[in-house]
Amino acid sequence: MDLVVTAAEPEFARQFGLSADEICGYGLLDLLGSPVPARLREQFTALSAGHCRRFTERVTGRDGAGGNFCAEVTGVAVRNPLGDMVGVVVFLRRAPDAVSGGPVLSALD
């Protein structure tokens, strides 16, 4: 499966310090890291093979300033009317930045 970014929303690209045009051509697995790297590729392979319609995984990325961030990536298969896969839509939901050194409090606290 070819995991190259062919189009991106500006907000997606900005997470990596790139423009929507600049991110095209990057390998998705080069942009995203996973605690178990093979798992992310397996998820995309299962999506491509029709074994699932979507998946969500925790990943890491590197922003334009060289810092790391945590996020959840969701991949959704796009199929034509015949059922053939024609692409994958990838959503990236960046985890909110934690207060460094301080406790994380819920609304109840």
Side-chain angles (χ1 to χ4, degrees):
M1 174 176 207
D2 190 15
L3 296 173
V4 174
V5 177
T6 57
E9 292 289 328
E11 294 80 17
F12 180 86
R14 195 169 316 142
Q15 300 301 309
F16 303 97
L18 300 166
S19 72
D21 289 335
E22 291 170 332
I23 203 167
C24 291
Y26 273 78
L28 192 57
L29 297 179
D30 295 332
L31 295 169
L32 301 174
S34 171
V36 183
R39 173 91 175 133
L40 194 54
R41 181 171 288 285
E42 289 169 4
Q43 292 282 28
F44 279 107
T45 300
L47 198 64
S48 171
H51 296 242
C52 65
R53 292 184 179 187
R54 64 183 290 158
F55 71 87
T56 299
E57 281 287 322
R58 292 185 188 270
V59 295
T60 58
R62 186 166 292 258
D63 63 24
N68 292 324
F69 64 86
C70 295
E72 282 189 345
V73 65
T74 300
V76 180
V78 178
R79 300 194 178 278
N80 66 19
L82 298 175
D84 300 321
M85 188 170 141
V86 294
V88 174
V89 174
V90 175
F91 299 96
L92 187 69
R93 182 172 164 244
R94 195 164 167 170
D97 293 330
V99 177
S100 57
V104 177
L105 304 175
S106 70
L108 180 61
D109 294 327

